[in-house]
Amino acid sequence: LEEKELDPRFLNTRYLCFRPTPLYPKFNKELIELLEELEKVRRLNNEQPNVLAYRRAIAALKAYPRELESYQEARKIIGIGAKIGRVIKTYMETGTIPEVEEIKQDEKFQILDLFSHSFGVGYKTATAWYLKGYRTIEDCKKDPKLNNMQKIGLELYDDLQKKMSRKDVEEIFGIFEREVKDALGHECIITPVGGYRRGKEFNGDFDVIISHPVEEMTKYILKSIVERLKEKGFITDIFWYGEPSAKDKIPPSTMIKRIDIIIASRSQYATALVGWTGSRLFLRSLKDYARKEKEMILASHGLFHNTFPRQKIDTSTEEDVFKILGVPWVDPTFRNC
Ligand code: TTP
Ligand code: MN
Ligand code: MN
Ligand code: MN
């Protein structure tokens, strides 16, 4: 196939936010899965630049609109450099990637992977626990030096590991919306964001933005909602509330899942929506583009001219944000890089 037959967006941009990335790739699926394993290894080894290189390559392949026919073709894709190119070459020639086979047998890697799924645990804590000789979640629970967040994360490990279906999320959203509107009035805008908004089938948590029309209300909302949901038994534990909070244990009747509640004033709503819909990589590229090409700063609390002092730019919808940045609209379900 000739290059010109490809949508030019796949070849000519350094910025991922210009390229629609679907949730599930249509092509090159096996290769993508193997590269995701390697990304995980790099992450658990704390090789940050390599993690990013893998994320970019994976995102490029997820967006790529046909099966790769050769290694040379892969190398033409922006986001696939020499190093990962060589890995792809091996895969193309042998149908497998030896390093992936090796790590599947590696006990240390499996355990770091297990630990790092606990809330708030990254490579550092996971490695420290491994070096202390811990091999199971039960071992970690006995560590005398756990902070509150780690304690909750380990105690709820099994529940928090289970992914929620879209229906589960919708059920939580229904309860949440009813309670918030009862408490704060019906002019509140309550919007599910995160992976759910990007179309994910299985969700680690429920992310939601609440926006109240009265700007001054913003600082009181979180406390009043959390208190109400706690009283009613919907909230059992608080990971983070400005600061990690003591555990308020209420015996759970069903499964416990994590909710991230984001409060945004109306003037922050549009950028909060962009920021908390993600994906992280999509956001990173949007912010990079804003700063490097437009001299603007994009944050969850607003869009600004990068002047001193910063000058806030009014935005009332997500579309405004894209338009002002000069980035063609990308539907949330195509922000899955
Ligand atoms: P997450 O809930 O961590 O991720 P997710 O919803 O994409 O996937 P999962 O199913 O695993 O929950 O975060 C939601 C979005 O919020 C994420 O895409 C980027 C943004 N975000 C921030 O900007 N800053 C933060 O500190 C966090 C935690 C998230
Ligand atoms: Mn989420
Ligand atoms: Mn997550
Ligand atoms: Mn979240």
Side-chain angles (χ1 to χ4, degrees):
L1 285 170
E2 292 292 317
E3 251 173 55
K4 62 179 181 327
E5 287 177 41
L6 274 180
D7 184 327
R9 285 176 299 182
F10 297 108
L11 297 169
N12 72 359
T13 182
R14 289 166 46 218
Y15 294 101
L16 292 173
C17 57
F18 279 79
R19 200 171 55 191
T21 308
L23 183 55
Y24 301 111
K26 278 213 191 81
F27 305 100
N28 306 298
K29 285 183 201 163
E30 191 186 50
L31 172 60
I32 290 169
E33 274 172 30
L34 293 170
L35 294 176
E36 280 174 337
E37 285 299 306
L38 292 180
E39 181 212 336
K40 192 155 80 179
V41 181
R42 305 294 176 266
R43 183 159 45 76
L44 293 174
N45 282 332
N46 196 32
E47 298 168 30
Q48 219 26 62
N50 292 331
V51 174
L52 206 55
Y54 270 90
R55 280 283 4 130
R56 287 182 196 284
I58 289 164
L61 281 174
K62 271 172 85 180
Y64 200 64
R66 64 188 186 207
E67 287 295 333
L68 287 176
E69 303 211 327
S70 69
Y71 154 72
Q72 285 79 2
E73 184 182 353
R75 284 289 279 121
K76 283 185 196 152
I77 302 172
I78 293 182
I80 298 181
K83 234 188 203 172
I84 295 176
R86 277 196 294 278
V87 175
I88 294 177
K89 189 164 190 264
T90 305
Y91 170 76
M92 300 284 252
E93 287 167 0
T94 67
T96 179
I97 300 173
E99 193 187 344
V100 177
E101 305 301 320
E102 281 162 34
I103 50 150
K104 279 185 192 152
Q105 315 297 324
D106 186 316
E107 193 220 11
K108 180 179 177 189
F109 170 78
Q110 302 300 337
I111 289 168
L112 292 183
D113 189 29
L114 175 84
F115 292 173
S116 71
H117 278 90
S118 196
F119 179 79
V121 175
Y123 120 92
K124 214 170 158 184
T125 307
T127 305
W129 287 347
Y130 182 83
L131 292 176
K132 285 184 183 182
Y134 305 162
R135 295 295 178 264
T136 65
I137 295 297
E138 288 309 310
D139 293 343
C140 299
K141 284 183 190 169
K142 292 178 200 135
D143 189 304
K145 281 189 182 158
L146 299 177
N147 64 35
N148 262 317
M149 232 190 303
Q150 292 167 338
K151 274 184 203 159
I152 303 173
L154 288 169
E155 192 164 323
L156 301 179
Y157 189 90
D158 290 334
D159 271 5
L160 295 179
Q161 282 323 290
K162 294 193 189 96
K163 300 280 182 194
M164 285 179 281
S165 67
R166 295 187 68 77
K167 228 177 120 229
D168 295 336
V169 173
E170 280 146 24
E171 194 180 321
I172 294 180
F173 178 64
I175 296 169
F176 193 82
E177 188 178 39
R178 186 187 71 213
E179 294 299 326
V180 171
K181 290 202 162 165
D182 264 9
L184 299 173
H186 284 251
E187 13 6 317
C188 270
I189 303 177
I190 305 158
T191 316
V193 285
Y196 175 81
R197 186 160 183 256
R198 300 197 312 276
K200 270 175 78 170
E201 214 60 62
F202 303 102
N203 295 273
D205 67 356
F206 171 54
D207 308 288
V208 63
I209 298 180
I210 304 173
S211 185
H212 191 279
V214 181
E215 193 95 11
E216 298 72 51
M217 281 288 287
T218 305
K219 51 180 177 290
Y220 308 110
I221 290 177
L222 185 61
K223 201 171 172 70
S224 76
I225 290 168
V226 170
E227 290 307 317
R228 183 189 177 100
L229 291 173
K230 248 169 66 180
E231 253 168 50
K232 295 206 168 188
F234 291 124
I235 288 183
T236 62
D237 303 89
I238 299 169
F239 277 123
W240 188 264
Y241 195 160
E243 56 190 69
S245 127
K247 213 162 139 58
D248 303 286
K249 195 70 200 164
I250 298 169
S253 51
T254 51
M255 207 199 286
I256 296 179
K257 301 307 303 181
R258 174 172 167 194
I259 306 187
D260 285 339
I261 305 171
I262 299 106
I263 312 292
S265 70
R266 276 294 201 274
S267 65
Q268 299 169 328
Y269 177 68
T271 48
L273 202 50
V274 175
W276 289 92
T277 295
S279 68
R280 264 165 237 272
L281 205 56
F282 183 85
L283 248 291
R284 190 188 182 114
S285 98
L286 206 56
K287 286 178 178 183
D288 265 7
Y289 182 76
R291 191 166 39 81
K292 291 182 188 152
E293 314 288 343
K294 297 284 164 172
E295 295 187 33
M296 290 178 193
I297 300 291
L298 174 65
S300 286
H301 59 278
L303 181 61
F304 305 86
H305 286 295
N306 193 9
T307 49
F308 186 79
R310 281 186 189 178
Q311 207 189 331
K312 186 157 184 178
I313 304 167
D314 284 341
T315 54
S316 57
T317 64
E318 242 187 349
E319 283 84 351
D320 287 348
V321 178
F322 281 79
K323 217 173 268 168
I324 293 165
L325 289 174
V327 176
W329 172 251
V330 181
D331 188 81
T333 56
F334 284 94
R335 299 182 200 166
N336 284 297
C337 35

